[in-house]
């Protein structure tokens, strides 16, 4: 792949809908070690995408891909709220990413036309949604290593 | 949020790197029920993003967000290879999505500078990578419902 091709590659996406969340400001969202995301809200799709939700109610969990639309710029090394040491941005869930894309797994409570009532939101109200996918399989807990996060938890006695 | 704002919202992303995969054509990628993704390859970041990988080697699994750059258009209802019935696109992993964003969980084998050797690829060689995140937690298998996919598996006796 030529360097020139790489430099010019750009992909433009439009929201398929927006998040209706109880969080109006970033500081309201639980962060750091032991943060629980139990907030309920709605994934509100634009009406023209409603047929794309056919059969989605048979899944218990969904993956939501969205935009950190209020994040400013990015930093490749940063200290997350769950630790006191800096880590590479791709080893964290920081909003300040080269491509400010967020990912949240939510529990689907019910569907009402183009609106999905869900639990487990950690996005701000009005967040643009790029995609929704069914959550199909998990990495077994016994094979998962969580690196610096597990160490930070251990240091804080959690 | 005004309708006009929604209509005009657009987000543009540039690849942070590219996938080096053994798959050169879509038909080589295992699909459908029981498909195993054991392929090894490399997530090759552009050199300027290498500091963003600091500490990533302590995680066992990564979430890769990428672009179905060779998919053409989208369909809101389609029949996936794992079933003989149509489903909404947001209830499937179809490449023909309104925003052609793919998501793959891979196992991290080792890091060599800006290159991550991984197992579990299901992308074509040259696929643009938008983001990499640590895989931090799983939905417990006993709470996961997999809807039409579980039913299709049951019908086929898997």
């Amino acid at each position: 792949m030529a360097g020139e091709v790489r430099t010019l590659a750009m992909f433009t996406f439009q929201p398929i809908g927006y998040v209706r969340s109880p969080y109006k400001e970033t500081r309201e969202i639980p962060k750091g070690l032991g943060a629980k995301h139990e907030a309920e809200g709605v994934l509100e799709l634009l009406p023209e995408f409603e047929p794309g939700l056919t059969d989605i109610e048979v899944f218990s969990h969904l993956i939501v891909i969205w935009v950190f639309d209020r994040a400013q710029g990015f930093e490749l090394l940063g200290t997350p709220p769950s630790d006191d040491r800096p880590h590479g941005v791709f080893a964290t869930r920081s909003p300040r990413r080269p491509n400010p894309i967020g990912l949240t797994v939510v529990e689907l409570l019910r569907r009402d036309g183009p609106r999905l009532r869900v639990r487990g939101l950690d996005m701000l109200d009005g967040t643009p949604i790029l995609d929704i996918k069914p959550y199909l399989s998990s990495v077994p807990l016994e094979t998962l290593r969580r690196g610096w996060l597990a160490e930070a938890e251990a240091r804080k006695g959690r």
Side-chain angles (χ1 to χ4, degrees), chain A residues 50-154:
Chain A
E50 182 178 339
L53 294 175
T54 306
D55 289 343
I56 204 161
E57 48 271 72
V58 295
F59 290 97
S60 62
H61 293 76
L62 304 175
I63 298 170
V64 187
I65 298 176
W66 45 277
V67 184
F68 285 104
D69 62 324
R70 279 153 277 187
Q72 303 279 330
F74 68 91
E75 52 179 10
L76 291 177
L77 270 176
T79 301
S82 45
D83 204 357
D84 49 12
R85 303 168 190 202
H87 302 287
V89 67
F90 303 121
T92 77
R93 297 289 187 116
S94 165
R96 306 192 60 215
R97 322 181 68 77
N99 292 312
I101 297 173
L103 183 152
T104 304
V105 174
V106 297
E107 183 184 355
L108 177 59
L109 301 176
R110 69 171 183 275
R111 175 181 162 204
D112 177 22
R115 284 173 293 280
L116 301 175
R117 180 89 191 167
V118 298
R119 179 186 293 136
L121 293 176
D122 61 355
M123 310 83 136
L124 289 169
D125 190 50
T127 290
I129 302 170
L130 295 180
D131 200 7
I132 297 173
K133 298 176 191 289
Y135 189 108
L136 296 181
S137 62
S138 293
V139 175
L141 280 178
E142 61 272 20
T143 66
L144 197 59
R145 278 185 296 110
R146 296 160 61 247
W148 64 260
L149 190 64
E151 288 165 23
E153 285 172 355

Side-chain angles (χ1 to χ4, degrees), chain A residues 15-55:
Chain A
I16 58 168
Y18 294 85
V19 177
R20 299 294 157 216
S21 154
Y23 301 126
K24 310 294 179 199
E25 297 184 46
T26 304
R27 61 180 167 74
E28 300 170 21
I29 303 176
K31 283 187 195 59
L33 291 179
K36 294 266 185 255
H37 297 292
E38 302 284 344
E40 290 187 19
V42 173
L43 309 178
E44 189 174 322
L45 261 62
L46 303 182
E48 62 264 37
F49 293 116
E50 182 178 339
L53 294 175
T54 306
D55 289 343

